[in-house]
Structures are given as structure tokens and as C-alpha cells.
Amino acid sequence: MSNENPTSSPATESVSNTEKVSPFLTEPLPQGAPQGQQQSLQQQLTDASTNTQVPKYNLPRGANTGNVGEVTHFGYKSVRAEDKAQKVAEVFHSVASKYDVMNDLMSFGIHRLWKRFAINMSGVRRGQHVLDIAGGTGDLAKVFSREVGPTGHVVLSDINESMLNVGRDRLLDAGCTNVDFVLANAETLEPFADNSFDLLTISFGLRNVTDKDAALQAMYRVLKPGGRLLILEFSKPVFEPFSKLYDLYSFTALPLMGKLVANDSESYKYLAESIRMHPDQRTLKTMMENAGFQNCDYHNLTGGIVAVHRGFKL
């Protein structure tokens, strides 16, 4: 059943404003703009001007629609829109080799249940063509490869070559012979023709896309009439007390685990911040509808930490 209309809990009104400070905190939790909102343009330009070191990776070109403007967010930082993809690439080049291990640690293995729920909602059938966008290490693509069978076809795409290489090695080792691996930018999906796929999925990748509106329009373009889009992404917890505990965990435990396991605390600090800057459930549903998708709904998982959005091209 869809959780499209989140309900508030009376408990949220009785939470005291004078809460104890966690002994794990050495400084206040970082504060970002609410999801779907940004700083003033003047402040953004001031902040962006301090970001002079931008790594250079060979990335598929973006949409360049002008939807985003000159400045956008990279976590809680403001950066020039043209630089964001490079900065995100740096993050994922850094974490690619430890990506699966960190997913298990950070989510206590629950990410596997989230992905299973999304797969169950996909309605995938034998003989279908599936595109897994920002597919990373191939968790979903591996299952889809089995489900579509030898008469079907799966494409695992990612903008990041390091992530794509990990996914390719993993799936080829698993004997997935009906899968192609394509370096592609979600904003354009340029290698793919119109009306090519029965099913599109993007799992924990949309929040890293600079121009999300362009990406949704590209997804609509390559989806066949009658096909469906599934977006599995971190979202906004629906209960305020739980949200505060989640913030505490995200901004203390995640960077620490990143430092200990992947020797990279900054990438996992960005992870926590990027989640807070991602559009909330209702906003993303509206964005999907604006891109042309119909019968859109969403399902909250684990109290809204994650949501599965679904839309159809009719």
C-alpha cells in the first residue's frame, strides 16, 4: 500500500527542546538547508568562489539545460554547477573498492531488504529489457539478469568508471551473460534510443545527479510506453524523534566508519549531507509528474529513511 500521504505523530509535538548532548559529539551537528531548498544566490556564489580545486575525470557530458543555474549544492557546500559531477566522481572513485562492505556496515545489512522490496515492485518479466541507471556494483542488475532470462537483456550504466568496473567484474564472475555495461550520464542517457526499455531503475544515485529534472526527462524518453520507472533513494524520515537520532548517527558514525574502513571520512560526510539536500518524498513525486510520468506513488521504508518512488509511461 502506498505511503503517499505521510502522517504526523502526536509524539513529535511533545519532544523537549532541551535534549542531552551526545557524548560522541565533539562539535554541533552540521546544519544544511531543508530538502528542496537552497541558500541565497549571493551566498552560494561567495561559497562557490572558494572551491578552486576541482578534480578532472573523463565523464559523459551532462544535459546543460540551464535548469540548475550557475551554482548548486555539493552536500552542504555550494559549488559551480559545472563542477559538481567532477566532485561526485571523486567521491565514488575513492569509495568504489569498499562500496559493498560500507553499504552493509552503514545500513546493518538492511539495504538488501530495501533493494528486494524495489525488485518486487518492478514487475520484471522474462524477455524484457531493463536499464539500471547509476547501477554501481550491480546488486539490482544481477537479479534482473536472472529474471529476464536468456531472451531478455539488462544494461548496467553508471557515470563513474571505477564503479562500473566493479559492477562489471562482479556480474561477469557471476555468469551474467545477458548484461551490457555502459558509461552514461543520467542527465542525458545519450547512448540509448527512445522507447528502448520496459523497466528503468536508479538505486541511491539520483541524489548525486546535478540536474535531476533533466535526468527524469531522459528516463521518460528511453522508457517504452507501458513501462515503469523505480527510484530507490534516501528520503526524509516521517517521525521527528527518529529523524534526530538518524541525524546523530549519520553525522558521527558514518564518517567514523568511512575513516576506519575506507580511509575516507570526507566522502561519507558528503553522503550524509547529500541525503539532507535531496528532495523529499512529495517533491520528488511532483518532479516525476512534471517529467511526464503518470500514476506516480511512493512507499516509505524504515520510517522514511528510504523511499521507493514509482511512475509509469502510459
Side-chain angles (χ1 to χ4, degrees):
M1 185 173 75
S2 172
N3 291 323
E4 182 187 272
N5 299 312
T7 58
S8 60
S9 168
T12 61
E13 300 176 1
S14 62
V15 177
S16 171
N17 291 327
T18 58
E19 298 181 341
K20 294 181 179 180
V21 177
S22 167
F24 299 103
L25 283 176
T26 57
E27 58 186 27
L29 290 174
Q31 299 294 318
Q35 294 189 27
Q37 299 183 23
Q38 296 190 23
Q39 301 165 296
S40 68
L41 179 60
Q42 181 177 1
Q43 182 62 48
Q44 290 177 328
L45 289 169
T46 300
D47 292 346
S49 66
T50 65
N51 292 284
T52 56
Q53 296 293 330
V54 180
K56 294 297 181 184
Y57 297 96
N58 184 22
L59 304 177
R61 70 181 184 89
N64 298 321
T65 62
N67 291 339
V68 177
E70 185 177 352
V71 174
T72 189
H73 58 82
F74 174 73
Y76 287 169
K77 297 177 182 178
S78 293
V79 299
R80 298 190 182 281
E82 63 188 29
D83 294 339
K84 179 173 177 177
Q86 292 285 339
K87 288 182 171 292
V88 171
E90 182 181 26
V91 168
F92 284 93
H93 276 291
S94 175
V95 305
S97 63
K98 299 290 186 180
Y99 187 78
D100 288 331
V101 172
M102 284 298 296
N103 277 351
D104 280 329
L105 289 174
M106 290 186 301
S107 70
F108 306 101
I110 299 174
H111 76 99
R112 298 176 184 273
L113 299 179
W114 296 334
K115 291 171 181 174
R116 184 181 303 170
F117 183 90
I119 290 168
N120 288 341
M121 288 184 63
S122 71
V124 65
R125 299 189 301 276
R126 296 187 73 79
Q128 289 191 326
H129 288 190
V130 178
L131 172 61
D132 186 20
I133 304 166
T137 56
D139 281 352
L140 270 65
K142 183 178 179 180
V143 177
F144 290 141
S145 171
R146 181 183 69 242
E147 293 299 318
V148 301
T151 60
H153 194 75
V154 177
V155 176
L156 172 60
S157 76
D158 205 294
I159 192 175
N160 189 286
E161 189 171 3
S162 294
M163 294 292 290
L164 193 63
N165 286 339
V166 172
R168 181 186 59 205
D169 292 345
R170 182 181 178 192
L171 268 63
L172 290 179
D173 288 344
C176 298
T177 58
N178 59 349
V179 181
D180 284 338
F181 306 91
V182 178
L183 199 66
N185 191 320
E187 292 181 6
T188 62
L189 298 177
E190 280 191 334
F192 310 117
D194 296 357
N195 307 317
S196 297
F197 298 95
D198 301 286
L199 170 67
L200 266 62
T201 59
I202 180 167
S203 173
F204 303 114
L206 185 61
R207 73 180 186 283
N208 298 308
V209 175
T210 304
D211 190 340
K212 296 175 180 60
D213 290 314
L216 290 169
Q217 291 164 9
M219 294 174 200
Y220 186 85
R221 176 182 65 80
V222 302
L223 192 64
K224 292 180 181 179
R228 73 179 69 187
L229 165 68
L230 289 180
I231 301 172
L232 175 63
E233 187 56 89
F234 291 108
S235 201
K236 183 177 178 60
V238 294
F239 302 113
E240 189 62 25
F242 181 52
S243 180
K244 292 181 179 181
L245 288 174
Y246 178 50
D247 281 347
L248 182 63
Y249 170 75
S250 299
F251 289 108
T252 55
L254 293 192
L256 178 60
M257 283 191 284
K259 177 64 175 177
L260 294 176
V261 178
N263 195 29
D264 184 353
S265 61
E266 284 301 309
S267 291
Y268 290 93
K269 178 183 176 184
Y270 161 75
L271 168 66
E273 293 177 354
S274 68
I275 292 169
R276 274 64 183 183
M277 301 304 291
H278 185 66
D280 63 20
Q281 291 92 321
R282 287 184 176 275
T283 303
L284 181 54
K285 177 175 178 286
T286 299
M287 292 168 67
M288 292 172 65
E289 292 169 342
N290 290 341
F293 290 98
Q294 299 184 41
N295 298 337
C296 298
D297 60 10
Y298 63 84
H299 299 253
N300 287 321
L301 305 178
T302 317
I305 285 181
V306 164
V308 181
H309 283 72
R310 176 175 57 178
F312 297 84
K313 179 176 180 178
L314 300 179

